[in-house]
Amino acid sequence: TGALRLRLAPRLPPTTASAKGRSPRHVTACVKPAGTFRGAQLYLEREGVLELLLPEAPRPRVRCFSWLPREKVALFLQATPHRDISRRIAAFRYELRGDWLARPALPATSLIGEGACRPCNDTEILMAICTSDFVIRGSIRSVSNDVELQESIIGVSAARIHRQKFPLFQVGGRPAGSIRTPLRCGVKPGPGTFLFTGWLHFGEAWLSCAPRYRDFQRIYEGARRTRQNPCEFPVD
């Protein structure tokens, strides 16, 4: 009693099954507690063994874990006893992602290099404009750092919204919004126009690739001349 068990069993496409001579692919899930998470603890249940993911009143950080498709995993939410009868709400969000999605399982994983923050190469940039949740041309107006969450928040002024699957950049006057990246990447404000691409993660925009726009134009035109561009993209 006083518990809720949430089985994690995403429907996987046939390609997720292990191919001959290859290891099975992993499934990844991430959970993020609300700032008002109270009154319970959240565990990862893996093959009957519990591992604490979120204690009561956790810090608002994302916790991620992976498992093989054949493993049985669940989220086990257990209420904690209290003497008073005041109301407590244990709210959290979760995302299920797998490597079959051809997209990062964690924020900004396409930036992974030495220490996690190398620039994207030409191929990654060309793929990013075709597959990202958002593609925004604009400039950096501010950079602020959240030490507790280990995130940098890039304030972006958008000159053109090429694509956004969700209303991340509000239209009205000059569109503006914010994009996040790991604090360890050491993002600094700088002049110039960039092409920002990335993914939506827990309702927030996370940076994938951000070449200077003039560099992107050169890369895209070169790929188009050799017919190696993976998709058509409007270039001024």
Side-chain angles (χ1 to χ4, degrees), residues 24-227:
R25 299 181 180 182
H26 285 79
V27 182
T28 297
C30 297
V31 297
K32 182 178 183 180
T36 55
F37 188 103
R38 298 292 187 278
Q41 293 181 317
L42 182 66
Y43 296 84
L44 169 64
E45 179 186 318
R46 191 196 304 266
E47 301 295 343
V49 179
L50 295 180
E51 173 191 341
L52 182 63
L53 284 178
L54 303 177
E56 186 171 10
R59 300 175 70 182
R61 289 186 175 181
V62 175
R63 290 290 308 273
C64 297
F65 52 91
S66 299
W67 71 94
L68 297 174
R70 64 174 180 270
E71 290 184 292
K72 295 181 179 180
V73 298
L75 295 177
F76 190 82
L77 189 67
Q78 174 71 53
T80 52
H82 290 273
R83 293 181 178 274
D84 62 86
I85 59 171
S86 60
R87 186 181 186 188
R88 296 174 177 85
I89 299 176
F92 66 93
R93 301 176 67 178
Y94 73 94
E95 292 181 352
L96 284 173
R97 293 189 173 180
D99 58 5
W100 70 88
L101 290 175
R103 61 184 292 170
L106 298 176
T109 52
S110 66
L111 297 176
I112 287 178
E114 182 64 26
C117 301
R118 67 166 176 79
C120 295
N121 60 35
D122 292 359
T123 301
E124 291 168 335
I125 290 172
L126 291 172
M127 288 302 299
I129 65 170
C130 302
T131 61
S132 296
D133 286 343
F134 62 88
V135 182
I136 307 292
R137 188 196 315 175
S139 57
I140 299 175
R141 55 186 176 84
S142 65
V143 175
S144 59
N145 297 321
D146 190 320
V147 177
E148 182 179 5
L149 296 180
Q150 288 295 295
E151 299 172 1
S152 292
I153 299 95
I154 307 169
V156 173
S157 180
R160 182 173 179 180
I161 300 175
H162 292 278
R163 180 171 71 253
Q164 58 175 351
K165 294 183 179 179
F166 307 93
L168 300 170
F169 287 75
Q170 302 300 325
V171 179
R174 179 122 185 204
S178 60
I179 303 174
R180 297 170 185 265
T181 191
L183 180 63
R184 62 182 178 276
C185 292
V187 174
K188 303 291 184 183
T193 301
F194 297 84
L195 193 66
F196 299 96
T197 68
W199 311 101
L200 192 72
H201 189 65
F202 290 109
E204 298 168 340
W206 280 83
L207 184 66
S208 176
C209 300
R212 290 188 179 274
Y213 187 67
R214 63 173 181 270
D215 293 331
F216 163 73
Q217 288 177 304
R218 173 182 52 79
I219 294 167
Y220 180 79
E221 290 297 340
R224 187 165 62 175
R225 284 195 301 269
T226 58
R227 298 184 178 180

